[in-house]
Amino acid sequence: MSHEAMFTGCENLAFIEDLYSNYVRNPQSVAPEWQTYFGQMLNGDRATATAQIGPSFSPPSLFGARNGQLNGHGGNGQAGSNGSSAAHDMEVAVRQEKVTQLVRNYRMRGHLFAKVNPLGERATTSETWRDEKHLDPKHFGFTEADMGRRYSTVGMGGADNLTLSELLKRLQTTYCRYIGVQFMHIDNVAEREWLQNRMELSENRIQLSQSAQFRILTRLTDASTFEDFLRTKFKSAKTFSLEGAESLIPLLDMAIEKAGDQGVEEIVLGMAHRGRLNVLANILAKDKSQIFREVADLDPHLYEQRGDVKYHLGHSRDWTTMSGKKVHLSMCFNPSHLEFVNPVALGRTRAKQTRRNDTNHSKVMSLQIHGDAAFAGEGVIQETLNLSQLKGYETGGSLHIIINNQIGFTTGPDEARSTQYCTDICKMLQIPIFHVNGEHPEAVAQVVNLAMDFRREFKRDVVIDMYCYRRHGHNEQDEPRFTQPLTYKLIDQRDGVRETYLDHLIMLGGVSMDQAEWVAEETHRDMEMQLERGTSSDYKPQSDTLGGQWLGYRGGSDKETPDVETGVPIEQLSALLKKMVTVPPDFHVHPRLKSMVLDARVEMAEGKKPLNWGAAELLAYGSLAFNKTHVRLSGQDCGRGTFSHRQAVWHDVENGNTYCGLKHLSPDQGTVDIFNSPLSEVGVMGYDYGYSLDCPSGLVLWEAQFGDFVNVAQVIIDQFIVSAEEKWKRLSSLVLLLPHGYEGQGPEHSSARLERFLAQCAEDNIQVVQPTTPAQIFHVLRRQVLRPIRKPLIVMTPKSLLRLPEASSALQDLSTGTFQRILPDQHPSLKKPKRILLCSGKIYYELAQERDKLKRDDVAILRVEQLYPLRPEHLEAALSSYAAGTPVLWVQEEPENMGAWWYMRIHFGEQLLGRYPFSVVARGESASPATGSHKSHHNEQHKILDQAFAGL
């Protein structure tokens, strides 16, 4: 039965239909009597339900209103002197329900009408989003005569009832003044009601003391004076000015103070360019002399082929709050790819929390500062937000601050996004989004206070979208009036934020003009002194050296860092492997997993079977963890392994519980974390890179499902991993595990783009290896921790070799020695070779098989296991026993223009070491890494083998 038919004949059908609509959306939103009524109607008990709508039935309101106290009723529920009237009660309830809807509309849509844009224009991208009638009492049938009537405000905090006029004023002040809030999309009732009560009880305003107001004025003075000074003293410099958004400085000041009072001891900041120098000077307390010297570029000799522009640099400091709390601040270095620092900052935050044993994420937090155009435009934002509530990546909620200039480089919001706000992507997390007018610092103070309290209460992200403007172009040499002439007419007419706020305080009597001018003069005088000091000939630039947890570790030359013994006694290896595969008594492991993997590993532990790749890799992790090293492995399906080789995390077939043997090696072992990641590369790799920045003593690994997936994270590789040491003097020992090898699986599942990594190798910036035995992966992973040098490690891991019988190692191979950069030919009957085949990766096993098939004992095959750093002396030692003039062929599976060939040719020439003719066997040059035909793949592979042995 339709609801129209159900309720036909009922009094005031329109009112009942409104209630029914609310009931359908949320039964708990209507009073119990109405829930009973609608339930009976839906069950077909029309007579019982209809009997309730009679003279004795007083309809309840959605507010839970006591009708006898509203709309002129006396305390006994009578309507004046006329006694009880069902019709009158119905009319009262109808009006109350309309008020309820009006309140709801303000909560849902008030942000559309809030005065958050200092330029006076609409905050949204299109007028179609706005429809003012929904906040107009006339739309609900109210007249001027209704303004004095009282309605229930139970649930709003404060008075239980207000006149309609009082209620409207309160709603407009709360939701339509200088703060617009989006929170009704939050499904969690507790979070939504917490926000609602906090905002409506205070009318979304904060009462500041005179000292707090003066502190805001002082911070605005710091910000504006710094920008004026830079503009005056360095007219041609590119500084990405904060002018128009100076409220960012008091905002950060208040957020840090609040964080300290909440028990936060460290804050990791990620930030874009705009205002960075100002934040470095006035929040991070970087020496202004140093900043001015960097802007003047007075030390070019220190930065030949190294360093970075001043608006990419980071810094750290200890902040003491007004209440005496200590908060350590760390601003991340970041590149021009603006938003890619976000996952890096989150990873650093999580590493700091791990180091402090901050399991409830209350002592360390992330604060991220964004630009509006990049926030809406960059896909890494979605990937980063998606990490916020995942077990392996959560940090207890980040505070996101958007410097909303309402423009990109020259592109306005109507061309920059399809959404209403630049923050709409944040709705995916169901978190509050505060839009605030940056020209009203006290409104900014209110949202900071509210946002920080929400984050602490619910451990979730929160967003402050601070509307402001950009007084200059994208950089100071750019002319924005070419492309935004009307907007800049408005901007040119405006005073600065400091001047506007000063006028406000003078009007209140909280500060005098003399006081304000004294603060400005002192600030300017200090900067003049700092400029003179920073530009003097005897100034010594500050050296950003690594300290704290990084003491004892270094970057620099690989050659100057000797290899170390990485072997582990056989008895310990055997015991560790057995512990890893011991199934708890109450755990129900999959039968095939037990028979095919776990039982086989027991035999490996007992020396009855050689070790395969998975066992050796787990032994590397286990032996490090046993010696108290923290191990973190993250990536898509890494718990099991894409190729089912690792099986580090088991799933109970009866109840779905999980078990990881690596976590149960000893009571005092290092922490082992293995996290399956979301289907994300750039976000997760950036996160794990950031984690490695604050975990120098641990082993931090990111694994790609297939090696080519690394393509999607190229920005993290280019801008951070391969260049950070030279740009920012920042070290990382992150390990990238990239399955690589030609198995006939097509272009996208063959190549991890080895050539790209090798093209970026310089100055010992990274390590690139392609190990071909289980012992080699064991030793190289342990070497990564045991040597004091800290460099990213790129590992081209195999696929078919994971189970190839020839690609195995004995337990004793793991007990002595270290990683071998070049594996010599171990052929037992090798004669004086007529040809030397030099290769890397799985092609070795195919070449060896072909050599045995052809019975060519006059061909030597050597494996280059470490492609970078690869020095001439490494090759000299490997080839010293072979006669000069013996041809050397570099053999690779990849096309000639890919793989390692061009790198080898550039570095070692046509005559390897000056005495071996050097040429290549490879697939032909190609725009695509591999064929999509399995049969064609085998044909091409056979051609490579034929060419390698041709002419002998």
Side-chain angles (χ1 to χ4, degrees), residues 32 99 219 241 360 459 515 531 562 582 584 638 644 649 691 716 763 860 882 918 920 948:
V99 168
R219 302 308 259 150
S241 164
N360 65 351
K459 304 294 184 186
Q515 287 175 299
L531 177 63
T582 300
C638 68
S644 203
V649 180
Y691 196 100
I716 302 299
E763 300 178 288
Y882 303 120
F918 197 31
V920 67

mmCIF file with all atom_site columns, all heavy atoms in Angstrom, residues 32 99 219 241 360 459 515 531 562 582 584 638 644 649 691 716 763 860 882 918 920 948:
data_model
loop_
_atom_site.group_PDB
_atom_site.id
_atom_site.type_symbol
_atom_site.label_atom_id
_atom_site.label_alt_id
_atom_site.label_comp_id
_atom_site.label_asym_id
_atom_site.label_entity_id
_atom_site.label_seq_id
_atom_site.pdbx_PDB_ins_code
_atom_site.Cartn_x
_atom_site.Cartn_y
_atom_site.Cartn_z
_atom_site.occupancy
_atom_site.B_iso_or_equiv
_atom_site.pdbx_formal_charge
_atom_site.auth_seq_id
_atom_site.auth_comp_id
_atom_site.auth_asym_id
_atom_site.auth_atom_id
_atom_site.pdbx_PDB_model_num
ATOM 1   N N   . PRO A 1 32  ? 8.446  8.480   19.873  1.00 0.00 ? 32  PRO A N   1
ATOM 2   C CA  . PRO A 1 32  ? 7.985  7.080   19.980  1.00 0.00 ? 32  PRO A CA  1
ATOM 3   C C   . PRO A 1 32  ? 6.538  6.871   19.566  1.00 0.00 ? 32  PRO A C   1
ATOM 4   O O   . PRO A 1 32  ? 6.200  5.855   18.962  1.00 0.00 ? 32  PRO A O   1
ATOM 5   C CB  . PRO A 1 32  ? 8.204  6.766   21.462  1.00 0.00 ? 32  PRO A CB  1
ATOM 6   C CG  . PRO A 1 32  ? 9.306  7.681   21.889  1.00 0.00 ? 32  PRO A CG  1
ATOM 7   C CD  . PRO A 1 32  ? 9.113  8.940   21.110  1.00 0.00 ? 32  PRO A CD  1
ATOM 8   N N   . VAL A 1 99  ? 9.759  24.261  11.932  1.00 0.00 ? 99  VAL A N   1
ATOM 9   C CA  . VAL A 1 99  ? 10.930 24.859  12.574  1.00 0.00 ? 99  VAL A CA  1
ATOM 10  C C   . VAL A 1 99  ? 12.084 23.860  12.600  1.00 0.00 ? 99  VAL A C   1
ATOM 11  O O   . VAL A 1 99  ? 13.241 24.199  12.349  1.00 0.00 ? 99  VAL A O   1
ATOM 12  C CB  . VAL A 1 99  ? 10.581 25.329  13.999  1.00 0.00 ? 99  VAL A CB  1
ATOM 13  C CG1 . VAL A 1 99  ? 11.853 25.684  14.778  1.00 0.00 ? 99  VAL A CG1 1
ATOM 14  C CG2 . VAL A 1 99  ? 9.650  26.528  13.949  1.00 0.00 ? 99  VAL A CG2 1
ATOM 15  N N   . ARG A 1 219 ? 51.179 38.394  16.085  1.00 0.00 ? 219 ARG A N   1
ATOM 16  C CA  . ARG A 1 219 ? 51.518 37.394  15.071  1.00 0.00 ? 219 ARG A CA  1
ATOM 17  C C   . ARG A 1 219 ? 51.177 37.897  13.677  1.00 0.00 ? 219 ARG A C   1
ATOM 18  O O   . ARG A 1 219 ? 51.920 37.631  12.708  1.00 0.00 ? 219 ARG A O   1
ATOM 19  C CB  . ARG A 1 219 ? 50.798 36.084  15.356  1.00 0.00 ? 219 ARG A CB  1
ATOM 20  C CG  . ARG A 1 219 ? 51.094 35.477  16.704  1.00 0.00 ? 219 ARG A CG  1
ATOM 21  C CD  . ARG A 1 219 ? 52.592 35.335  16.958  1.00 0.00 ? 219 ARG A CD  1
ATOM 22  N NE  . ARG A 1 219 ? 53.046 33.991  16.731  1.00 0.00 ? 219 ARG A NE  1
ATOM 23  C CZ  . ARG A 1 219 ? 54.264 33.667  16.319  1.00 0.00 ? 219 ARG A CZ  1
ATOM 24  N NH1 . ARG A 1 219 ? 55.142 34.611  16.071  1.00 0.00 ? 219 ARG A NH1 1
ATOM 25  N NH2 . ARG A 1 219 ? 54.620 32.414  16.156  1.00 0.00 ? 219 ARG A NH2 1
ATOM 26  N N   . SER A 1 241 ? 54.842 34.897  -1.666  1.00 0.00 ? 241 SER A N   1
ATOM 27  C CA  . SER A 1 241 ? 54.387 35.719  -0.552  1.00 0.00 ? 241 SER A CA  1
ATOM 28  C C   . SER A 1 241 ? 53.107 35.195  0.087   1.00 0.00 ? 241 SER A C   1
ATOM 29  O O   . SER A 1 241 ? 52.230 34.632  -0.569  1.00 0.00 ? 241 SER A O   1
ATOM 30  C CB  . SER A 1 241 ? 54.152 37.148  -1.066  1.00 0.00 ? 241 SER A CB  1
ATOM 31  O OG  . SER A 1 241 ? 53.389 37.893  -0.155  1.00 0.00 ? 241 SER A OG  1
ATOM 32  N N   . ASN A 1 360 ? 48.279 5.172   21.079  1.00 0.00 ? 360 ASN A N   1
ATOM 33  C CA  . ASN A 1 360 ? 46.979 5.827   20.882  1.00 0.00 ? 360 ASN A CA  1
ATOM 34  C C   . ASN A 1 360 ? 47.105 7.121   20.084  1.00 0.00 ? 360 ASN A C   1
ATOM 35  O O   . ASN A 1 360 ? 46.150 7.902   19.983  1.00 0.00 ? 360 ASN A O   1
ATOM 36  C CB  . ASN A 1 360 ? 46.299 6.090   22.226  1.00 0.00 ? 360 ASN A CB  1
ATOM 37  C CG  . ASN A 1 360 ? 47.067 7.089   23.076  1.00 0.00 ? 360 ASN A CG  1
ATOM 38  O OD1 . ASN A 1 360 ? 48.202 7.473   22.738  1.00 0.00 ? 360 ASN A OD1 1
ATOM 39  N ND2 . ASN A 1 360 ? 46.476 7.520   24.166  1.00 0.00 ? 360 ASN A ND2 1
ATOM 40  N N   . LYS A 1 459 ? 40.056 11.193  17.072  1.00 0.00 ? 459 LYS A N   1
ATOM 41  C CA  . LYS A 1 459 ? 41.228 10.652  16.380  1.00 0.00 ? 459 LYS A CA  1
ATOM 42  C C   . LYS A 1 459 ? 41.012 10.599  14.865  1.00 0.00 ? 459 LYS A C   1
ATOM 43  O O   . LYS A 1 459 ? 41.341 9.628   14.201  1.00 0.00 ? 459 LYS A O   1
ATOM 44  C CB  . LYS A 1 459 ? 41.567 9.248   16.893  1.00 0.00 ? 459 LYS A CB  1
ATOM 45  C CG  . LYS A 1 459 ? 41.783 9.150   18.382  1.00 0.00 ? 459 LYS A CG  1
ATOM 46  C CD  . LYS A 1 459 ? 43.022 9.916   18.806  1.00 0.00 ? 459 LYS A CD  1
ATOM 47  C CE  . LYS A 1 459 ? 43.286 9.723   20.290  1.00 0.00 ? 459 LYS A CE  1
ATOM 48  N NZ  . LYS A 1 459 ? 44.397 10.565  20.783  1.00 0.00 ? 459 LYS A NZ  1
ATOM 49  N N   . GLN A 1 515 ? 50.580 51.291  20.870  1.00 0.00 ? 515 GLN A N   1
ATOM 50  C CA  . GLN A 1 515 ? 51.061 49.948  21.182  1.00 0.00 ? 515 GLN A CA  1
ATOM 51  C C   . GLN A 1 515 ? 51.321 49.158  19.897  1.00 0.00 ? 515 GLN A C   1
ATOM 52  O O   . GLN A 1 515 ? 52.351 48.478  19.758  1.00 0.00 ? 515 GLN A O   1
ATOM 53  C CB  . GLN A 1 515 ? 50.029 49.198  22.026  1.00 0.00 ? 515 GLN A CB  1
ATOM 54  C CG  . GLN A 1 515 ? 49.916 49.656  23.457  1.00 0.00 ? 515 GLN A CG  1
ATOM 55  C CD  . GLN A 1 515 ? 48.784 48.937  24.169  1.00 0.00 ? 515 GLN A CD  1
ATOM 56  O OE1 . GLN A 1 515 ? 47.618 49.043  23.777  1.00 0.00 ? 515 GLN A OE1 1
ATOM 57  N NE2 . GLN A 1 515 ? 49.124 48.202  25.216  1.00 0.00 ? 515 GLN A NE2 1
ATOM 58  N N   . LEU A 1 531 ? 69.135 41.312  8.654   1.00 0.00 ? 531 LEU A N   1
ATOM 59  C CA  . LEU A 1 531 ? 69.607 41.470  7.275   1.00 0.00 ? 531 LEU A CA  1
ATOM 60  C C   . LEU A 1 531 ? 71.065 41.883  7.256   1.00 0.00 ? 531 LEU A C   1
ATOM 61  O O   . LEU A 1 531 ? 71.876 41.339  6.489   1.00 0.00 ? 531 LEU A O   1
ATOM 62  C CB  . LEU A 1 531 ? 68.753 42.502  6.543   1.00 0.00 ? 531 LEU A CB  1
ATOM 63  C CG  . LEU A 1 531 ? 69.192 42.822  5.113   1.00 0.00 ? 531 LEU A CG  1
ATOM 64  C CD1 . LEU A 1 531 ? 69.089 41.580  4.225   1.00 0.00 ? 531 LEU A CD1 1
ATOM 65  C CD2 . LEU A 1 531 ? 68.356 43.965  4.530   1.00 0.00 ? 531 LEU A CD2 1
ATOM 66  N N   . PRO A 1 562 ? 82.988 0.103   4.199   1.00 0.00 ? 562 PRO A N   1
ATOM 67  C CA  . PRO A 1 562 ? 83.294 -1.298  3.904   1.00 0.00 ? 562 PRO A CA  1
ATOM 68  C C   . PRO A 1 562 ? 82.061 -2.190  4.050   1.00 0.00 ? 562 PRO A C   1
ATOM 69  O O   . PRO A 1 562 ? 81.132 -1.879  4.798   1.00 0.00 ? 562 PRO A O   1
ATOM 70  C CB  . PRO A 1 562 ? 84.354 -1.664  4.951   1.00 0.00 ? 562 PRO A CB  1
ATOM 71  C CG  . PRO A 1 562 ? 84.630 -0.446  5.734   1.00 0.00 ? 562 PRO A CG  1
ATOM 72  C CD  . PRO A 1 562 ? 83.659 0.604   5.374   1.00 0.00 ? 562 PRO A CD  1
ATOM 73  N N   . THR A 1 582 ? 55.835 -22.465 13.109  1.00 0.00 ? 582 THR A N   1
ATOM 74  C CA  . THR A 1 582 ? 55.113 -23.194 14.153  1.00 0.00 ? 582 THR A CA  1
ATOM 75  C C   . THR A 1 582 ? 53.686 -22.676 14.251  1.00 0.00 ? 582 THR A C   1
ATOM 76  O O   . THR A 1 582 ? 53.464 -21.483 14.503  1.00 0.00 ? 582 THR A O   1
ATOM 77  C CB  . THR A 1 582 ? 55.826 -23.046 15.515  1.00 0.00 ? 582 THR A CB  1
ATOM 78  O OG1 . THR A 1 582 ? 57.141 -23.579 15.415  1.00 0.00 ? 582 THR A OG1 1
ATOM 79  C CG2 . THR A 1 582 ? 55.059 -23.776 16.605  1.00 0.00 ? 582 THR A CG2 1
ATOM 80  N N   . PRO A 1 584 ? 50.210 -22.219 16.040  1.00 0.00 ? 584 PRO A N   1
ATOM 81  C CA  . PRO A 1 584 ? 49.644 -22.294 17.394  1.00 0.00 ? 584 PRO A CA  1
ATOM 82  C C   . PRO A 1 584 ? 48.582 -23.388 17.486  1.00 0.00 ? 584 PRO A C   1
ATOM 83  O O   . PRO A 1 584 ? 47.898 -23.688 16.483  1.00 0.00 ? 584 PRO A O   1
ATOM 84  C CB  . PRO A 1 584 ? 49.025 -20.906 17.593  1.00 0.00 ? 584 PRO A CB  1
ATOM 85  C CG  . PRO A 1 584 ? 49.724 -20.031 16.618  1.00 0.00 ? 584 PRO A CG  1
ATOM 86  C CD  . PRO A 1 584 ? 50.051 -20.887 15.439  1.00 0.00 ? 584 PRO A CD  1
ATOM 87  N N   . CYS A 1 638 ? 51.229 -7.782  0.325   1.00 0.00 ? 638 CYS A N   1
ATOM 88  C CA  . CYS A 1 638 ? 52.580 -8.203  0.702   1.00 0.00 ? 638 CYS A CA  1
ATOM 89  C C   . CYS A 1 638 ? 52.575 -9.251  1.811   1.00 0.00 ? 638 CYS A C   1
ATOM 90  O O   . CYS A 1 638 ? 53.567 -9.947  1.994   1.00 0.00 ? 638 CYS A O   1
ATOM 91  C CB  . CYS A 1 638 ? 53.430 -7.000  1.098   1.00 0.00 ? 638 CYS A CB  1
ATOM 92  S SG  . CYS A 1 638 ? 52.912 -6.200  2.624   1.00 0.00 ? 638 CYS A SG  1
ATOM 93  N N   . SER A 1 644 ? 52.491 -15.594 -4.031  1.00 0.00 ? 644 SER A N   1
ATOM 94  C CA  . SER A 1 644 ? 52.226 -16.595 -2.994  1.00 0.00 ? 644 SER A CA  1
ATOM 95  C C   . SER A 1 644 ? 53.506 -17.196 -2.430  1.00 0.00 ? 644 SER A C   1
ATOM 96  O O   . SER A 1 644 ? 53.484 -18.293 -1.884  1.00 0.00 ? 644 SER A O   1
ATOM 97  C CB  . SER A 1 644 ? 51.318 -17.701 -3.557  1.00 0.00 ? 644 SER A CB  1
ATOM 98  O OG  . SER A 1 644 ? 50.625 -18.363 -2.526  1.00 0.00 ? 644 SER A OG  1
ATOM 99  N N   . VAL A 1 649 ? 51.897 -13.926 6.630   1.00 0.00 ? 649 VAL A N   1
ATOM 100 C CA  . VAL A 1 649 ? 50.690 -13.770 7.446   1.00 0.00 ? 649 VAL A CA  1
ATOM 101 C C   . VAL A 1 649 ? 49.703 -14.856 7.047   1.00 0.00 ? 649 VAL A C   1
ATOM 102 O O   . VAL A 1 649 ? 49.351 -14.980 5.880   1.00 0.00 ? 649 VAL A O   1
ATOM 103 C CB  . VAL A 1 649 ? 50.059 -12.368 7.249   1.00 0.00 ? 649 VAL A CB  1
ATOM 104 C CG1 . VAL A 1 649 ? 48.812 -12.223 8.108   1.00 0.00 ? 649 VAL A CG1 1
ATOM 105 C CG2 . VAL A 1 649 ? 51.073 -11.272 7.576   1.00 0.00 ? 649 VAL A CG2 1
ATOM 106 N N   . TYR A 1 691 ? 58.327 7.337   6.547   1.00 0.00 ? 691 TYR A N   1
ATOM 107 C CA  . TYR A 1 691 ? 58.597 6.498   7.719   1.00 0.00 ? 691 TYR A CA  1
ATOM 108 C C   . TYR A 1 691 ? 60.095 6.247   7.857   1.00 0.00 ? 691 TYR A C   1
ATOM 109 O O   . TYR A 1 691 ? 60.659 6.315   8.952   1.00 0.00 ? 691 TYR A O   1
ATOM 110 C CB  . TYR A 1 691 ? 57.841 5.180   7.575   1.00 0.00 ? 691 TYR A CB  1
ATOM 111 C CG  . TYR A 1 691 ? 57.712 4.385   8.853   1.00 0.00 ? 691 TYR A CG  1
ATOM 112 C CD1 . TYR A 1 691 ? 56.527 4.414   9.590   1.00 0.00 ? 691 TYR A CD1 1
ATOM 113 C CD2 . TYR A 1 691 ? 58.747 3.594   9.320   1.00 0.00 ? 691 TYR A CD2 1
ATOM 114 C CE1 . TYR A 1 691 ? 56.387 3.679   10.764  1.00 0.00 ? 691 TYR A CE1 1
ATOM 115 C CE2 . TYR A 1 691 ? 58.625 2.866   10.496  1.00 0.00 ? 691 TYR A CE2 1
ATOM 116 C CZ  . TYR A 1 691 ? 57.445 2.910   11.213  1.00 0.00 ? 691 TYR A CZ  1
ATOM 117 O OH  . TYR A 1 691 ? 57.318 2.196   12.367  1.00 0.00 ? 691 TYR A OH  1
ATOM 118 N N   . ILE A 1 716 ? 57.598 10.331  -6.309  1.00 0.00 ? 716 ILE A N   1
ATOM 119 C CA  . ILE A 1 716 ? 58.284 10.049  -5.044  1.00 0.00 ? 716 ILE A CA  1
ATOM 120 C C   . ILE A 1 716 ? 59.727 9.618   -5.320  1.00 0.00 ? 716 ILE A C   1
ATOM 121 O O   . ILE A 1 716 ? 60.660 10.017  -4.601  1.00 0.00 ? 716 ILE A O   1
ATOM 122 C CB  . ILE A 1 716 ? 57.542 8.959   -4.254  1.00 0.00 ? 716 ILE A CB  1
ATOM 123 C CG1 . ILE A 1 716 ? 56.090 9.391   -3.969  1.00 0.00 ? 716 ILE A CG1 1
ATOM 124 C CG2 . ILE A 1 716 ? 58.267 8.646   -2.953  1.00 0.00 ? 716 ILE A CG2 1
ATOM 125 C CD1 . ILE A 1 716 ? 55.962 10.645  -3.140  1.00 0.00 ? 716 ILE A CD1 1
ATOM 126 N N   . GLU A 1 763 ? 76.566 9.957   -7.850  1.00 0.00 ? 763 GLU A N   1
ATOM 127 C CA  . GLU A 1 763 ? 77.088 10.361  -6.542  1.00 0.00 ? 763 GLU A CA  1
ATOM 128 C C   . GLU A 1 763 ? 76.665 9.412   -5.432  1.00 0.00 ? 763 GLU A C   1
ATOM 129 O O   . GLU A 1 763 ? 76.396 9.827   -4.308  1.00 0.00 ? 763 GLU A O   1
ATOM 130 C CB  . GLU A 1 763 ? 76.648 11.792  -6.222  1.00 0.00 ? 763 GLU A CB  1
ATOM 131 C CG  . GLU A 1 763 ? 77.137 12.809  -7.248  1.00 0.00 ? 763 GLU A CG  1
ATOM 132 C CD  . GLU A 1 763 ? 76.663 14.213  -6.954  1.00 0.00 ? 763 GLU A CD  1
ATOM 133 O OE1 . GLU A 1 763 ? 75.468 14.495  -7.125  1.00 0.00 ? 763 GLU A OE1 1
ATOM 134 O OE2 . GLU A 1 763 ? 77.511 15.034  -6.542  1.00 0.00 ? 763 GLU A OE2 1
ATOM 135 N N   . ALA A 1 860 ? 82.084 -18.336 -20.458 1.00 0.00 ? 860 ALA A N   1
ATOM 136 C CA  . ALA A 1 860 ? 81.912 -17.971 -19.046 1.00 0.00 ? 860 ALA A CA  1
ATOM 137 C C   . ALA A 1 860 ? 80.671 -17.100 -18.893 1.00 0.00 ? 860 ALA A C   1
ATOM 138 O O   . ALA A 1 860 ? 80.378 -16.268 -19.762 1.00 0.00 ? 860 ALA A O   1
ATOM 139 C CB  . ALA A 1 860 ? 83.149 -17.231 -18.548 1.00 0.00 ? 860 ALA A CB  1
ATOM 140 N N   . TYR A 1 882 ? 90.534 -13.748 -16.834 1.00 0.00 ? 882 TYR A N   1
ATOM 141 C CA  . TYR A 1 882 ? 90.246 -13.952 -18.257 1.00 0.00 ? 882 TYR A CA  1
ATOM 142 C C   . TYR A 1 882 ? 91.186 -13.121 -19.117 1.00 0.00 ? 882 TYR A C   1
ATOM 143 O O   . TYR A 1 882 ? 91.521 -11.975 -18.793 1.00 0.00 ? 882 TYR A O   1
ATOM 144 C CB  . TYR A 1 882 ? 88.783 -13.600 -18.564 1.00 0.00 ? 882 TYR A CB  1
ATOM 145 C CG  . TYR A 1 882 ? 87.802 -14.402 -17.723 1.00 0.00 ? 882 TYR A CG  1
ATOM 146 C CD1 . TYR A 1 882 ? 86.896 -13.774 -16.868 1.00 0.00 ? 882 TYR A CD1 1
ATOM 147 C CD2 . TYR A 1 882 ? 87.798 -15.795 -17.783 1.00 0.00 ? 882 TYR A CD2 1
ATOM 148 C CE1 . TYR A 1 882 ? 86.019 -14.503 -16.101 1.00 0.00 ? 882 TYR A CE1 1
ATOM 149 C CE2 . TYR A 1 882 ? 86.918 -16.535 -17.011 1.00 0.00 ? 882 TYR A CE2 1
ATOM 150 C CZ  . TYR A 1 882 ? 86.028 -15.888 -16.173 1.00 0.00 ? 882 TYR A CZ  1
ATOM 151 O OH  . TYR A 1 882 ? 85.171 -16.635 -15.407 1.00 0.00 ? 882 TYR A OH  1
ATOM 152 N N   . PHE A 1 918 ? 83.307 -4.966  -26.042 1.00 0.00 ? 918 PHE A N   1
ATOM 153 C CA  . PHE A 1 918 ? 82.054 -4.970  -25.273 1.00 0.00 ? 918 PHE A CA  1
ATOM 154 C C   . PHE A 1 918 ? 80.872 -4.687  -26.201 1.00 0.00 ? 918 PHE A C   1
ATOM 155 O O   . PHE A 1 918 ? 80.836 -3.645  -26.870 1.00 0.00 ? 918 PHE A O   1
ATOM 156 C CB  . PHE A 1 918 ? 82.138 -3.904  -24.177 1.00 0.00 ? 918 PHE A CB  1
ATOM 157 C CG  . PHE A 1 918 ? 81.130 -4.034  -23.067 1.00 0.00 ? 918 PHE A CG  1
ATOM 158 C CD1 . PHE A 1 918 ? 80.638 -5.269  -22.669 1.00 0.00 ? 918 PHE A CD1 1
ATOM 159 C CD2 . PHE A 1 918 ? 80.684 -2.893  -22.406 1.00 0.00 ? 918 PHE A CD2 1
ATOM 160 C CE1 . PHE A 1 918 ? 79.729 -5.368  -21.623 1.00 0.00 ? 918 PHE A CE1 1
ATOM 161 C CE2 . PHE A 1 918 ? 79.774 -2.976  -21.363 1.00 0.00 ? 918 PHE A CE2 1
ATOM 162 C CZ  . PHE A 1 918 ? 79.296 -4.227  -20.977 1.00 0.00 ? 918 PHE A CZ  1
ATOM 163 N N   . VAL A 1 920 ? 76.374 -6.026  -27.082 1.00 0.00 ? 920 VAL A N   1
ATOM 164 C CA  . VAL A 1 920 ? 75.134 -6.377  -26.398 1.00 0.00 ? 920 VAL A CA  1
ATOM 165 C C   . VAL A 1 920 ? 74.334 -7.421  -27.172 1.00 0.00 ? 920 VAL A C   1
ATOM 166 O O   . VAL A 1 920 ? 74.381 -7.472  -28.407 1.00 0.00 ? 920 VAL A O   1
ATOM 167 C CB  . VAL A 1 920 ? 74.258 -5.117  -26.178 1.00 0.00 ? 920 VAL A CB  1
ATOM 168 C CG1 . VAL A 1 920 ? 73.746 -4.570  -27.506 1.00 0.00 ? 920 VAL A CG1 1
ATOM 169 C CG2 . VAL A 1 920 ? 73.068 -5.411  -25.260 1.00 0.00 ? 920 VAL A CG2 1
ATOM 170 N N   . ALA A 1 948 ? 73.471 -15.178 -28.117 1.00 0.00 ? 948 ALA A N   1
ATOM 171 C CA  . ALA A 1 948 ? 74.506 -15.201 -27.090 1.00 0.00 ? 948 ALA A CA  1
ATOM 172 C C   . ALA A 1 948 ? 75.584 -16.227 -27.398 1.00 0.00 ? 948 ALA A C   1
ATOM 173 O O   . ALA A 1 948 ? 76.760 -16.040 -27.038 1.00 0.00 ? 948 ALA A O   1
ATOM 174 C CB  . ALA A 1 948 ? 73.879 -15.471 -25.724 1.00 0.00 ? 948 ALA A CB  1
#
